[in-house]
Amino acid sequence: MMYSVLSGDIVSSTSLHNKDRSTVEKELVKLLKNLDDEFKVYGRIIKGDYIECVVPKAEDGLRVALAIKSFVKSIPIELSNYKKDKNRVRLFKTHGLRLAIGYGSLSRYKPKEGIIDGEAIYLSGREISGMSTHNKERVVIKNTLFFVSENTSLNNRFKPVFELLDTLLSKATARQSEVLYLKLLNQQEDEIAKTLGIGQSAVNRHSTSVGWNAIETAVLDFSKTLSK
């Protein structure tokens, strides 16, 4: 059986104030609950700023990854509260987290015991490791969304798509990210309007601005490709 296993680390987490770090961690707990409810995802948070998720239906991997990215970008961290680390916190506001989808098998997967072991998690973990911005004076972030598997042609096929999605999400506002997150969780626009307390026309406007049609096409293509 093949899985999508996601590994991700929060960008510039050590530059956040303690209160904001605590907020991020609490919000991640809510996120994992939502993903479990909607996609039967098993997720865990390590040291407050590193996340691992197993997506049992591998074809849902990109939908879940984009849901995580958009959710983290929508967490309300106020940039004006920062002076010293403002540029690093701006990177958090722009990118949220680096996230890799490892596509492969798992030799051991026992969510109730917290055991995840095998190819898929090694692939995603290796892709993310070594990218930390901690203690680096100059930080340059080019890409924050990756797909990795033992299938080279599959990796090459998804690479440009993931880079384009990454660019779209990096330009999204917090409100656009909220709308995107809820759409990725399969909510209809009238439901989203009710959840966010805004008009349906505003939801549609944010959806269009964030590039929902292109994002949905990519998500459906990913699902179709891995379902073959």
Side-chain angles (χ1 to χ4, degrees):
M1 182 175 175
M2 301 291 274
Y3 295 85
S4 283
V5 176
L6 281 52
S7 296
D9 71 330
I10 302 294
V11 171
S12 303
S13 62
T14 55
S15 297
L16 297 176
H17 296 157
N18 288 338
K19 185 181 175 185
D20 285 339
R21 271 207 301 271
S22 177
T23 297
V24 169
E25 191 166 355
K26 285 174 186 172
E27 290 298 309
L28 288 177
V29 172
K30 290 183 200 172
L31 167 67
L32 294 182
K33 172 71 168 61
N34 292 344
L35 295 178
D36 181 28
D37 290 344
E38 187 64 34
F39 303 106
K40 305 301 177 197
V41 164
Y42 166 70
R44 61 190 183 191
I45 302 158
I46 300 167
K47 294 182 180 176
D49 63 355
Y50 189 90
I51 188 169
E52 291 178 337
C53 294
V54 177
V55 187
K57 286 178 67 178
E59 61 268 28
D60 287 337
L62 180 56
R63 182 179 288 273
V64 172
L66 294 176
I68 293 171
K69 288 275 289 177
S70 54
F71 181 91
V72 173
K73 268 187 64 82
S74 73
I75 296 173
I77 302 297
E78 188 50 60
L79 196 59
S80 61
N81 292 335
Y82 290 85
K83 290 181 181 177
K84 180 187 169 190
D85 292 318
K86 196 166 190 173
N87 287 336
R88 287 175 181 265
V89 177
R90 187 178 281 114
L91 288 173
F92 166 79
K93 297 278 286 181
T94 301
H95 301 289
L97 78 170
R98 298 175 194 77
L99 197 61
I101 301 174
Y103 175 62
S105 60
L106 288 176
S107 54
R108 290 194 306 156
Y109 175 46
K110 297 179 181 179
K112 288 182 180 176
E113 298 171 38
I115 296 171
I116 313 170
D117 192 18
E119 176 188 57
I121 197 165
Y122 297 154
L123 288 169
S124 62
R126 278 201 299 264
E127 191 70 20
I128 289 301
S129 67
M131 294 183 183
S132 173
T133 56
H134 183 55
N135 283 338
K136 290 182 181 175
E137 280 187 33
R138 188 166 178 270
V139 179
V140 178
I141 295 178
K142 292 181 180 178
N143 303 108
T144 63
L145 187 63
F146 310 93
F147 176 87
V148 58
S149 73
E150 296 292 352
N151 185 326
T152 305
S153 62
L154 209 55
N155 296 343
N156 292 339
R157 185 187 189 287
F158 287 136
K159 189 173 188 290
V161 177
F162 275 47
E163 288 180 0
L164 286 168
L165 290 170
D166 203 1
T167 300
L168 272 181
L169 262 69
S170 71
K171 296 179 186 305
T173 65
R175 179 61 95 186
Q176 288 167 0
S177 297
E178 282 182 306
V179 169
L180 176 58
Y181 170 69
L182 294 171
K183 293 203 95 165
L184 289 163
L185 260 60
N186 297 310
Q187 285 196 22
Q188 299 303 309
E189 288 194 352
D190 57 337
E191 294 178 84
I192 295 171
K194 204 174 289 184
T195 300
L196 299 180
I198 58 177
Q200 193 169 334
S201 60
V203 171
N204 185 265
R205 190 170 64 251
H206 290 310
S207 176
T208 301
S209 298
V210 82
W212 169 249
N213 288 341
I215 290 167
E216 186 180 36
T217 299
V219 165
L220 292 175
D221 178 66
F222 181 91
S223 178
K224 186 179 176 183
T225 302
L226 294 197
S227 295
K228 288 177 183 175

